Amino acid sequence: MNKYIFIVFLFLNQLVWGQVGFGDMVTPPRVVFGMDRIAAVEKKLGLSKKDHSIYYDLQPGKKEGFSITTKGNKTYIKGSDMTGLMYGCLEFADQLKKLKAYPKDLNITQAPEMVLRGQCIGLQKSTYLPGRNVYEYPYTPETFPWFYDKKLWLQVLDSMVENRMNSLYLWNGHPFASLVKLKDYPYAVEVDDATFKKNEEIYHFITTEADKRGIWVIQMFYNIIVSKPFAEYNHIKTQDRERHIVPIIADYTRKSIAAFVEKYPNVGLMVCLGEAMEGTGKDDIEWFTKTIIPGVQDGLKVLGKSEEPPIVLRAHDTDAPSVMEATLPIYKNLYTEAKFNGEALTDPRPRGEWAKLHQTLAHLGSVQIENVHIMANLEPFRYGSPDFIQQSVIGMHEVMGGNGLHLYPQASYWDWPYSADSVKGKRLLQIERDWIWYKAWSRYAWTAQRNRADEINYWANALATKFGCSNADGKKILEAYEQSGEIAPKLLRRFGITDGNRQTLTLGMLMTQLINPYRYGLFTLLYDAESPEGEMLIQYAEKEWKQEKHIGETPVQIINEVEAHGDKAVKAITDAEKGITKNKEEFARIKNDMLCYKALAYHYAEKAMAALGILRYKYSDDVKDLEKALPLLEKSVTDYKVLVDLTKGTYLYANSMQTQQRKIPIRGSNGTFKTWAEVLVPFENELQHFKHKIDSLKKAPVKIAAQQNVLSKATVQILNNSNKWYGIDSLSQPFADSALVIAAAAKELKNLQGLQWSFQQQLKNGTTVQFTNSKPVKLLVGYFNPVKAAFSKDTTFLKAPELETNASANDYGQAEIKIANALVVKGMPPVNVHSYSFAAGNNTLQLPKGICLILGFVDGEQAIPLYDAGLTESGAKKEIDWLFE
């Protein structure tokens, strides 16, 4: 007889909110799950149960902790709660598999360090649905066929419990219209009745199966987004970042949340206040405290419950400390979450103002969750450096004060559940391909500080088991993973434009992006906080010319290091190849990825060295500096061709987000420029252009200016004000209530007429331009570009469109700087020109509070040159972008 004996069970608070009670004859689902795992291993190994008894008990201890003690033929598994007891069962099952027998002397005590250890799945797509905007994806079988696959969900949840993960985040812009129906807004539902029933069934299945495994399901949503039927019925937009709170939207959202809480009381909510509503300000606080929190409380009231479910506040694009300060007096069970390295992986120990934000949130008394967000610099190649990941988790604890992990997929977030690999037959699943990614983050979220030598042996054994090779060869595969794992983080943090997914690092960068990064909207937080102290290429080149001392991590240092990492990764994986006896096809794909990383490292290294020579010419005016750079640039193109060949037939794309948000190296809307073969063309073009410019300079050594196309003004009728027009020329006054004057302007703008605005009104109310036009037009807006520290606030100048914090920042094509340093207004920062495209008809441009210039309208078909005019108050600065354009 099998002797499974329960000594005692108590009424316990569970991971999910609320209390679970059961009678003497009912075993809790999580414990049943753990016991079943032991029984399955016993059966598989043919172990006899006659002479070994297992006793289960509860004991005081850290949340989810457990102990296992074996004395002779008796094993005692004790948990601090039901999840801990389940984990104890799973650990005992693992011991049975390892020993292939009952243990005789076992003494294990464990408890997780991080309170929450979770992974994220996005119910979102790589492109927009027809007639919809960013994040708007109803739950339907047509859009997400995998969402209804119960077998896949069990595989996902089993992999999570195997890694001891206890939270699952489901991301969607507005999930409520797919999951609940509202009496007051019956027209708001986005799916038909049959789909609605399917959604109810699968959501109940997911949450029930997750709970069995001690996994808390958390539904994320953006603010303020409403359903498409609701928007159409009420003649409003589904989302409008500049729209302030209106009663009907607040009422609809509050009732949606209440209905969701009532229907799914054990599902958590993750609230993203920013991105779809105006960034920081009182609206965020009011929305959270007067709409979202009351919605949760309304749902509880219907259920007759008073215990608060946990709510996760996402710090992205909102003043999270202020929101928490206003909310904690009325709602206590709050968590906070913020990105660790932006939308990339760059540095295990962030610093500066970004680290201070995390520390501030961590000291509020709630749990601060560290979010390893979209890996824009790792896509699509395999990444599995346990060392880098371990150091990152240690940094989360020691630097950021985090005590929770929210993990995104390693690649292809927008294409879940599949990876970008091109293989015959079925596509590869992310959770299978990237097993080491999930396993490593989970392992160190459980316990971060582990002995390095022991970890090398642990991972070597895991890899040896997977590929049927010796532990020595397992160590070589680990070496390849860890050497390649340094390349992408180092490249982005020393040469990149942004930590966001508007840049796809593995597709490379244009030379103008390397030598003039500010022209492309450089996101300074990347260098000020998410990288070790060091220098950009432009800083290094200037210091070299001035013979000044270098500071911190330098471009030349990284150039040498990434080449060495690439060489070592390829050597290690090649040396291991002959010992592989299992999963040979996957091993071949890993080897190909290592070759890709090496080619990528050499491409960047050669191009960056060429960039330093070209930047030297900026100071020397010596064509010989350009001639020295030429073979380096040629070599970088050769290296890139290697990358093109390695990825042909092996990868479907480089980046899983294929919308207008992607900008670097090449604008990639409608699924274009997503492969290396496509991007090779502009790289070859810039090389040929550079050769031509060198020849021209050698024949006639004079400054070659960028081609200037004077823009022609378009005719529009302004509807909402009587503001005066002004010419874009010297001594013109762009503000009606200020003596500020234009001192200089790019020649392209000389025929335009700007719209004079009130300086004070822009500060107080923002800027709204209503107009009618018979033909498509572009409205040019000048954004002042003050020099300020990353993450600092500016209450005077309107923030330029920025995709890092605003997913709608390119809805009108406005995210790209068209002409950098295009105007000089005396006493003010330099001005960059952006353009907003509008179709014919009645249109409105609504901008938030802050100073900007309305520079006039041009024909919608007229091309606006992309370049740096180099105008400053002290005179035109020398830029050399024209060498490549």
Side-chain angles (χ1 to χ4, degrees):
M1 178 180 178
N2 190 10
K3 299 177 182 177
Y4 290 111
I5 302 172
F6 275 87
I7 297 177
V8 65
F9 278 110
L10 302 175
F11 220 34
L12 290 179
N13 286 327
Q14 300 300 293
L15 175 66
V16 293
W17 72 279
Q19 293 183 323
V20 178
F22 46 88
D24 294 338
M25 302 304 294
V26 178
T27 306
R30 296 180 191 180
V31 181
V32 171
F33 182 85
M35 292 170 62
D36 287 345
R37 287 298 176 92
I38 293 175
V41 175
E42 288 175 325
K43 182 178 180 180
K44 184 176 181 179
L45 295 176
L47 297 178
S48 173
K49 301 175 181 179
K50 294 179 180 179
D51 300 321
H52 200 94
S53 299
I54 304 174
Y55 298 83
Y56 302 87
D57 197 1
L58 292 174
Q59 63 182 7
K62 189 175 179 180
K63 188 175 182 180
E64 298 183 337
F66 66 87
S67 66
I68 307 173
T69 305
T70 297
K71 296 178 180 178
N73 64 348
K74 296 180 180 180
T75 292
Y76 299 86
I77 302 176
K78 299 180 181 181
S80 60
D81 50 30
M82 299 308 168
T83 305
L85 198 50
M86 178 192 69
Y87 286 154
C89 292
L90 298 180
E91 177 63 29
F92 186 70
D94 288 343
Q95 292 293 325
L96 293 180
K97 284 187 282 188
K98 183 168 67 174
L99 299 171
K100 295 181 172 48
Y102 288 113
K104 296 297 183 184
D105 186 14
L106 197 63
N107 192 349
I108 297 173
T109 299
Q110 291 186 16
E113 292 175 347
M114 284 193 165
V115 174
L116 288 178
R117 308 168 305 282
Q119 71 183 56
C120 152
I121 292 176
L123 279 97
Q124 305 187 99
K125 303 293 287 184
S126 60
T127 56
Y128 294 170
L129 296 180
R132 292 182 177 272
N133 210 325
V134 62
Y135 301 135
E136 296 177 18
Y137 302 102
Y139 293 2
T140 68
E142 294 76 23
T143 305
F144 303 109
W146 57 265
F147 182 63
Y148 305 88
D149 186 341
K150 292 181 179 180
K151 183 179 178 181
L152 175 62
W153 276 116
L154 291 178
Q155 184 180 358
V156 170
L157 295 171
D158 281 344
S159 70
M160 290 181 67
V161 78
E162 177 70 22
N163 289 327
R164 307 302 187 259
M165 283 188 165
N166 65 3
S167 45
L168 171 64
Y169 300 82
L170 301 179
W171 280 59
N172 187 265
H174 185 70
F176 306 116
S178 296
L179 296 171
V180 296
K181 294 180 179 180
L182 305 180
K183 179 181 177 181
D184 293 341
Y185 303 102
Y187 54 82
V189 180
E190 291 201 278
V191 297
D192 58 39
D193 288 344
T195 299
F196 190 84
K197 289 182 180 179
K198 288 181 179 179
N199 290 346
E200 287 181 315
E201 180 189 358
I202 194 64
Y203 214 79
H204 177 73
F205 175 82
I206 295 167
T207 54
T208 301
E209 291 296 329
D211 187 63
K212 286 180 186 177
R213 294 161 175 79
I215 297 169
W216 172 33
V217 177
I218 304 167
Q219 179 65 65
M220 177 270 182
F221 62 100
Y222 285 98
N223 294 278
I224 302 173
I225 299 180
V226 298
S227 74
K228 193 169 188 286
F230 180 90
E232 291 171 345
Y233 185 92
N234 290 288
H235 307 290
I236 59 175
K237 295 181 179 179
T238 53
Q239 52 183 302
D240 184 349
R241 186 176 170 87
E242 316 313 332
R243 176 175 60 200
H244 293 285
I245 298 168
V246 295
I248 190 172
I249 295 178
D251 186 64
Y252 165 70
T253 304
R254 177 172 176 170
K255 287 175 177 172
S256 295
I257 293 170
F260 183 83
V261 170
E262 179 185 353
K263 190 172 185 178
Y264 303 105
N266 288 339
V267 177
L269 290 174
M270 181 175 183
V271 181
C272 181
L273 289 177
E275 192 116 35
M277 71 185 293
E278 187 177 354
T280 59
K282 293 183 179 179
D283 274 6
D284 298 38
I285 295 174
E286 180 179 343
W287 189 251
F288 198 52
T289 59
K290 296 183 179 180
T291 297
I292 293 172
I293 298 297
V296 174
Q297 292 169 335
D298 291 346
L300 292 177
K301 187 176 181 180
V302 174
L303 291 170
K305 292 179 177 290
S306 59
E307 187 175 1
E308 297 174 340
I311 298 175
V312 181
L313 172 66
R314 188 180 181 218
H316 177 70
D317 195 30
T318 192
D319 185 354
S322 296
V323 174
M324 289 290 286
E325 182 181 358
T327 309
L328 281 170
I330 63 173
Y331 199 94
K332 300 299 182 185
N333 199 4
L334 296 174
Y335 294 75
T336 56
E337 179 261 24
K339 296 176 183 176
F340 179 59
N341 276 172
E343 295 177 343
L345 191 63
T346 55
D347 185 19
R349 303 182 76 85
R351 57 192 176 92
E353 293 300 316
W354 188 239
K356 288 181 181 178
L357 170 66
H358 289 242
Q359 293 160 5
T360 299
L361 295 174
H363 288 117
L364 292 174
S366 58
V367 173
Q368 162 59 16
I369 303 167
E370 294 300 314
N371 176 207
V372 181
H373 205 69
I374 290 170
M375 301 294 104
N377 65 326
L378 304 187
E379 285 197 299
F381 308 131
R382 287 158 179 76
Y383 186 96
S385 171
D387 182 42
F388 199 102
I389 292 170
Q390 181 181 18
Q391 295 309 313
S392 295
V393 177
I394 292 172
M396 289 176 179
H397 286 294
E398 295 182 350
V399 178
M400 314 300 259
N403 198 27
L405 171 70
H406 176 191
L407 182 67
Y408 264 58
Q410 187 256 296
S412 301
Y413 164 78
W414 304 94
D415 199 15
W416 177 270
Y418 306 112
S419 72
D421 298 78
S422 178
V423 296
K424 295 179 180 178
K426 292 178 65 177
R427 294 186 64 184
L428 301 183
L429 293 175
Q430 293 176 25
I431 56 171
E432 293 177 351
R433 190 198 86 149
D434 300 321
W435 65 274
I436 194 171
W437 169 264
Y438 291 107
K439 194 173 188 67
W441 285 103
S442 302
R443 178 173 174 81
Y444 300 119
W446 185 273
T447 303
Q449 297 283 1
R450 299 175 187 258
N451 178 270
R452 173 64 176 158
D454 291 343
E455 290 307 287
I456 290 173
N457 289 330
Y458 172 85
W459 291 107
N461 179 66
L463 290 163
T465 300
K466 185 171 184 66
F467 294 106
C469 60
S470 66
N471 273 20
D473 285 333
K475 287 183 178 180
K476 293 173 186 176
I477 302 172
L478 176 63
E479 172 76 359
Y481 266 122
E482 295 197 329
Q483 290 294 336
S484 66
E486 297 288 335
I487 293 171
K490 288 182 176 180
L491 288 177
L492 186 68
R493 75 190 191 204
R494 203 44 56 206
F495 305 127
I497 298 292
T498 174
D499 69 359
N501 61 16
R502 68 182 168 103
Q503 174 168 5
T504 304
L505 178 90
T506 56
L507 284 177
M509 294 172 65
L510 294 170
M511 182 58 80
T512 52
Q513 291 162 349
L514 292 171
I515 65 175
N516 191 4
Y518 286 99
R519 171 182 157 185
Y520 293 89
L522 180 72
F523 192 61
T524 54
L525 186 71
L526 170 62
Y527 291 93
D528 294 346
E530 296 162 358
S531 305
E533 185 179 22
E535 297 172 3
M536 293 185 291
L537 283 165
I538 55 175
Q539 296 167 328
Y540 185 90
E542 183 177 6
K543 284 178 177 287
E544 279 288 286
W545 180 254
K546 294 179 179 179
Q547 296 184 330
E548 295 176 349
K549 183 179 179 181
H550 295 292
I551 298 173
E553 190 176 79
T554 67
V556 172
Q557 172 192 339
I558 294 304
I559 285 167
N560 293 329
E561 287 180 5
V562 295
E563 287 183 328
H565 289 313
D567 290 339
K568 291 176 181 178
V570 170
K571 182 180 187 305
I573 203 72
T574 303
D575 288 348
E577 188 170 17
K578 59 181 178 295
I580 304 303
T581 63
K582 288 169 53 180
N583 296 314
K584 290 186 176 181
E585 291 183 355
E586 175 60 14
F587 180 85
R589 289 189 284 264
I590 294 175
K591 181 182 178 182
N592 191 70
D593 280 356
M594 299 305 150
L595 293 168
C596 287
Y597 267 122
K598 178 180 177 180
L600 182 71
Y602 271 79
H603 163 72
Y604 265 100
E606 300 288 353
K607 198 162 190 174
M609 284 300 295
L612 288 174
I614 293 160
L615 285 166
R616 181 177 177 82
Y617 168 76
K618 182 177 179 178
Y619 303 100
S620 71
D621 281 324
D622 188 344
V623 181
K624 290 181 181 178
D625 286 328
L626 300 181
E627 291 180 305
K628 291 177 182 178
L630 180 57
L632 293 169
L633 186 58
E634 289 175 324
K635 181 64 168 56
S636 77
V637 173
T638 300
D639 294 326
Y640 198 81
K641 288 178 179 178
V642 173
L643 193 55
V644 170
D645 291 339
L646 289 168
T647 53
K648 277 183 180 176
T650 60
Y651 279 103
L652 301 172
Y653 53 77
N655 37 30
S656 60
M657 187 181 73
Q658 293 153 21
T659 67
Q660 59 191 359
Q661 275 88 346
R662 288 202 300 109
K663 291 289 183 182
I664 300 166
I666 301 292
R667 183 186 303 179
S669 59
N670 300 318
T672 57
F673 291 106
K674 64 183 180 182
T675 67
W676 296 263
E678 291 173 286
V679 177
L680 174 62
V681 176
F683 284 175
E684 289 178 326
N685 289 342
E686 70 175 2
L687 174 60
Q688 293 305 314
H689 211 100
F690 184 53
K691 288 180 178 179
H692 174 72
K693 289 298 174 67
I694 291 176
D695 289 342
S696 299
L697 285 169
K698 289 169 68 176
K699 292 175 183 177
V702 296
K703 181 178 179 180
I704 301 175
Q707 183 179 357
Q708 293 175 324
N709 300 315
V710 178
L711 300 172
S712 300
K713 66 179 180 181
T715 301
V716 303
Q717 181 182 354
I718 303 298
L719 302 177
N720 68 318
N721 58 56
S722 56
N723 292 9
K724 295 181 180 179
W725 296 95
Y726 67 92
I728 311 297
D729 52 31
S730 182
L731 301 183
S732 290
Q733 293 182 276
F735 299 106
D737 54 350
S738 170
L740 292 170
V741 297
I742 294 175
K747 293 182 179 179
E748 289 84 0
L749 308 177
K750 69 178 184 179
N751 286 345
L752 300 186
Q753 282 196 312
L755 193 60
Q756 198 178 60
W757 217 264
S758 164
F759 190 101
Q760 294 302 322
Q761 286 299 314
Q762 282 191 326
L763 282 177
K764 183 179 179 181
N765 300 320
T767 305
T768 301
V769 185
Q770 294 178 338
F771 58 95
T772 184
N773 47 297
S774 58
K775 296 180 179 179
V777 297
K778 294 173 184 173
L779 173 55
L780 303 190
V781 178
Y783 286 89
F784 292 98
N785 186 27
V787 176
K788 62 181 189 299
F791 208 63
S792 61
K793 298 178 182 178
D794 195 319
T795 58
T796 301
F797 302 106
L798 179 60
K799 185 178 181 181
E802 182 183 84
L803 285 166
E804 281 77 8
T805 56
N806 178 9
S808 63
N810 201 42
D811 287 355
Y812 300 92
Q814 75 270 31
E816 186 174 46
I817 297 174
K818 294 297 192 291
I819 306 176
N821 299 297
L823 290 100
V824 174
V825 177
K826 287 188 176 180
M828 300 287 275
V831 178
N832 296 331
V833 174
H834 296 244
S835 74
Y836 291 73
S837 296
F838 294 92
N842 292 329
N843 291 293
T844 299
L845 174 66
Q846 186 174 353
L847 300 173
K849 298 173 185 177
I851 304 306
C852 67
L853 302 177
I854 305 300
L855 298 171
F857 296 84
V858 300
D859 186 281
E861 301 300 321
Q862 187 168 16
I864 301 174
L866 305 177
Y867 83 109
D868 189 340
L871 299 180
T872 69
E873 197 162 349
S874 59
K877 65 178 182 177
K878 181 179 179 182
E879 292 299 344
I880 50 176
D881 299 27
W882 51 267
L883 287 166
F884 301 93
E885 297 176 329

